[in-house]
Amino acid sequence: MENRHKIFNRENGIFLVFAIILIFFLGKSSPLYYLNDWVDANAYFTVGKGIVHGLVPYRDLFDQKGPLIYFLHAIGYLISQHNFWGIAVLESFNLCASMIIFKKILQLYVSKPLQFAGALLVPMAFLASPFFNAGDSVEEFMMPFILYLMYSICKIIHVNLHANSFDFQLDFKQFYWIGLGLGIVFWSKYILVGFWIGFFIALTIILFSRRQFMDWLKVLLYTLLGFITVTAVVLLYFLLNHALSDLFFGYFYANISLYQINMSTFTKVFNSIKYLFFGFGMGGHWIINIMLLLAIFVFPFNKKVSDAWEGKVLYLLPVIFGGLLMFWGLTPRLYYWLPLLVIAMMGLLAILINVETSFQNNFPQQIPRLRNFIIVLACVAPFMMNTNYNFSKLYPKNYTVAYQSKGDLPAQLQFKKIIDRQKNAKVLNYGTLDLGVYTVTNKIPDSKYFYILNIPKSAFPEMYQQQDKVITHKQADFVVTRTPAGQDLVDAGMDTLTDHYRVIKKHNQVNDNELLTYWLLKKK
């Protein structure tokens, strides 16, 4: 985001090649996999595809994520229409950007030999299972923006390392980029803006304590300018498409009100603290948990980072606010923790600072060997931290493809072969999350409620009723759904479906560690 150093240089080129290789082997959006079978990713792709074909998110295709994630998937769809290969390209650039930004942080604290090597460690954390999951989460694409905020914080602290009676020095133009990042995150997943909230609270405390009121006003104006740049584009798109009310209903009201999570304020606070400080460890990932605790309790107190109270406040408040708001009132899924891996990298940086200091004092001639060790670790560790390749085409008989079922392809690709035999066939993903059949068949849904979100029927009956209407009127030629293995459609409460459609194919496979039966039905 700054032009002092050329973006196109040898080290950044290596970062990009490294990112492409890792995403190819470890991200399920890559050509090495039959498909990305994660339901959320397929919903994003379906809505993104709809945008390219003139449909408007929320109004024509209902979902509840932020609009920018759909625009991103529209770009991915333009690159590759029948699969996630375009998304893999975007993921590669996203990971490369994270390494570039982390190298800029390293430049503030460690010597040049360790800057490049240390940046190569980013994928080890960012691609770690089970948090990375299949890839293509909103959190994954937001990580460079959170990392850029951390870089900005570290840079401000570094410039004011020994804060004294003089003015707290700030690069006001940088706040435009901070505001731009805030806008992108807000319109992708607004619950992640806690990092920015904590940052501005901290900066307000510092500038007001020093009576730098005009500087505070400049910070506010530059940040708002960046935020408004993104917001104006989003609002203009929905305004021109007469869909502002749909945007606010789908993105804000649905997330805040429809999921009906009843939880006391005390429970929300307690859970947020628990998940922030010990969430990784609770899942058995104690190494990452230790890195996170180092990032909170060691890094800001290192005198090489800051020996002034301002630096500690400016670093800790964003981390605390960001971590707590991420989990506020939620039952977290594993990928929710991805943004905290950005903070965990600061714990790794604390280790690097101390290790390098020890080497400089005792074994200065061994620093090149330390650099080489880190590079080797960076190349090997991602394949130890992420085991997605076990479910790739390298292992074609794995249980995510088939489990005690015929065929050497997952259900979605088997269903595609059948659906493609009928010209202009209409498909409905019924009663469940987006299974990926819209993706592999390149079909554009005819129904606004093209899949069923995890919203209770009592809270949003319209979604269920509209899908049932499609079934009873036989508006779809084919219907896809899934049930727990061993449960038939009637037992799953899909009597309406079986009354009007007949089963022509079923297939067992594992998804998200659950054995499921996938069903393909055709209208009677």
Side-chain angles (χ1 to χ4, degrees):
M1 295 183 182
E2 295 180 341
N3 296 320
R4 294 182 185 178
H5 304 285
K6 293 181 179 179
I7 294 177
F8 302 103
N9 58 45
R10 179 173 171 271
E11 288 188 351
N12 291 352
I14 294 173
F15 290 152
L16 180 58
V17 171
F18 189 44
I20 291 171
I21 292 171
L22 291 177
I23 293 297
F24 178 79
F25 282 101
L26 303 178
K28 283 193 171 183
S29 297
S30 93
L32 190 63
Y33 295 79
Y34 292 104
L35 77 159
N36 187 328
D37 58 358
W38 188 38
V39 289
D40 285 22
N42 281 283
Y44 308 154
F45 197 81
T46 301
V47 180
K49 173 170 52 182
I51 291 174
V52 174
H53 290 275
L55 302 180
V56 179
Y58 314 111
R59 187 193 72 186
D60 301 320
L61 294 173
F62 185 79
D63 200 19
Q64 60 11 308
K65 290 297 193 297
L68 290 188
I69 200 65
Y70 306 130
F71 296 151
L72 183 73
H73 282 73
I75 297 172
Y77 175 76
L78 289 171
I79 298 173
S80 183
Q81 287 76 45
H82 291 269
N83 50 53
F84 281 83
W85 297 359
I87 300 301
V89 171
L90 298 177
E91 285 183 294
S92 299
F93 281 105
N94 193 70
L95 184 58
C96 174
S98 296
M99 287 187 275
I100 291 172
I101 297 169
F102 192 62
K103 188 183 78 170
K104 294 177 75 67
I105 297 176
L106 288 164
Q107 288 170 346
L108 301 174
Y109 302 112
V110 299
S111 61
K112 188 170 179 58
L114 297 189
Q115 292 166 10
F116 170 72
L120 289 174
L121 292 172
V122 167
M124 174 183 72
F126 284 17
L127 301 181
S129 296
F131 313 105
F132 179 73
N133 195 10
D136 192 28
S137 66
V138 181
E139 288 80 0
E140 176 192 356
F141 284 107
M142 295 305 104
M143 290 168 83
F145 301 103
I146 300 172
L147 193 56
Y148 181 77
L149 177 65
M150 297 309 299
Y151 161 66
S152 301
I153 292 169
C154 290
K155 183 181 175 184
I156 293 170
I157 295 172
H158 189 71
V159 170
N160 299 277
L161 181 61
H162 307 291
N164 49 40
S165 59
F166 296 103
D167 285 351
F168 204 72
Q169 301 299 311
L170 298 169
D171 178 2
F172 295 108
K173 292 181 180 179
Q174 188 171 23
F175 284 89
Y176 173 80
W177 300 109
I178 293 172
L180 197 75
L182 171 60
I184 291 171
V185 170
F186 179 81
W187 289 109
S188 298
K189 189 167 186 177
Y190 61 79
I191 203 167
L192 297 179
V193 301
F195 296 99
W196 282 262
I197 292 173
F199 172 61
F200 288 110
I201 290 175
L203 206 54
T204 298
I205 293 171
I206 293 167
L207 294 180
F208 274 46
S209 71
R210 291 169 168 268
R211 300 183 181 278
Q212 292 178 237
F213 303 117
M214 287 304 299
D215 287 344
W216 179 83
L217 186 60
K218 289 179 183 178
V219 165
L220 181 64
L221 291 175
Y222 274 97
T223 304
L224 282 175
L225 182 61
F227 180 79
I228 290 171
T229 300
V230 179
T231 300
V233 172
V234 172
L235 295 183
L236 183 62
Y237 169 82
F238 285 96
L239 180 64
L240 292 176
N241 285 284
H242 309 288
L244 273 177
S245 61
D246 299 284
L247 164 66
F248 286 101
F249 179 85
Y251 185 39
F252 295 107
Y253 181 79
N255 281 297
I256 294 170
S257 300
L258 295 185
Y259 280 89
Q260 297 184 336
I261 299 175
N262 297 317
M263 195 179 295
S264 69
T265 301
F266 173 80
T267 303
K268 291 177 181 178
V269 173
F270 177 79
N271 284 349
S272 293
I273 294 173
K274 176 179 66 175
Y275 294 139
L276 170 60
F277 290 103
F278 304 108
F280 288 115
M282 287 163 56
H285 306 280
W286 282 106
I287 294 177
I288 298 177
N289 210 134
I290 290 170
M291 287 171 56
L292 181 63
L293 294 176
L294 289 174
I296 297 173
F297 295 109
V298 175
F299 178 78
F301 299 96
N302 188 311
K303 289 192 175 182
K304 196 170 183 178
V305 175
S306 176
D307 60 1
W309 70 267
E310 291 95 335
K312 297 172 178 59
V313 170
L314 193 60
Y315 174 85
L316 286 172
L317 284 189
V319 172
I320 300 301
F321 272 80
L324 294 180
L325 188 59
M326 277 171 51
F327 302 113
W328 186 261
L330 298 176
T331 302
R333 300 179 184 275
L334 288 168
Y335 59 87
Y336 287 9
W337 269 275
L338 271 177
L340 284 185
L341 292 175
V342 173
I343 310 305
M345 288 302 298
M346 306 307 292
L348 183 62
L349 176 54
I351 295 173
L352 278 177
I353 291 172
N354 287 314
V355 169
E356 184 184 41
T357 300
S358 176
F359 269 68
Q360 287 174 337
N361 293 335
N362 301 293
F363 318 102
Q365 71 281 3
Q366 299 298 326
I367 287 182
R369 291 189 176 182
L370 175 62
R371 176 202 60 203
N372 294 339
F373 170 78
I374 293 173
I375 291 174
V376 172
L377 176 64
C379 292
V380 174
F383 295 93
M384 300 172 64
M385 302 291 287
N386 183 314
T387 56
N388 278 346
Y389 52 84
N390 288 320
F391 310 113
S392 70
K393 294 176 183 177
L394 297 174
Y395 301 92
K397 301 297 183 180
N398 72 79
Y399 55 71
T400 66
V401 174
Y403 186 88
Q404 297 180 349
S405 290
K406 294 180 180 179
D408 55 358
L409 292 173
Q412 294 89 334
L413 294 178
Q414 293 191 42
F415 294 174
K416 168 184 162 56
K417 290 182 177 181
I418 298 172
I419 294 169
D420 285 350
R421 294 173 192 159
Q422 181 172 328
K423 188 176 182 181
N424 300 321
K426 294 181 179 180
V427 178
L428 176 67
N429 187 112
Y430 178 76
T432 188
L433 298 163
D434 192 329
L435 303 181
V437 175
Y438 295 125
T439 300
V440 298
T441 59
N442 195 22
K443 295 291 183 182
I444 302 166
D446 292 291
S447 173
K448 174 179 178 177
Y449 301 104
F450 63 97
Y451 81 109
I452 294 294
L453 289 83
N454 289 321
I455 297 175
K457 187 173 184 178
S458 58
F460 197 30
E462 178 185 344
M463 176 172 61
Y464 294 84
Q465 291 166 0
Q466 288 299 314
Q467 281 218 332
D468 284 341
K469 182 179 178 180
V470 173
I471 296 301
T472 55
H473 288 76
K474 297 185 179 181
Q475 294 171 349
D477 298 300
F478 294 94
V479 175
V480 294
T481 189
R482 71 180 183 184
T483 62
Q487 185 180 64
D488 63 27
L489 295 173
V490 174
D491 291 339
M494 298 187 188
D495 309 63
T496 302
L497 178 59
T498 55
D499 287 344
H500 299 87
Y501 288 79
R502 59 184 175 85
V503 176
I504 59 174
K505 182 74 175 177
K506 67 177 182 177
H507 181 81
N508 289 344
Q509 63 194 51
V510 173
N511 180 257
D512 201 17
N513 296 316
E514 184 179 1
L515 180 58
L516 301 163
T517 299
Y518 288 67
W519 305 81
L520 176 65
L521 300 94
K522 189 174 183 179
K523 64 181 177 182
K524 294 179 178 178

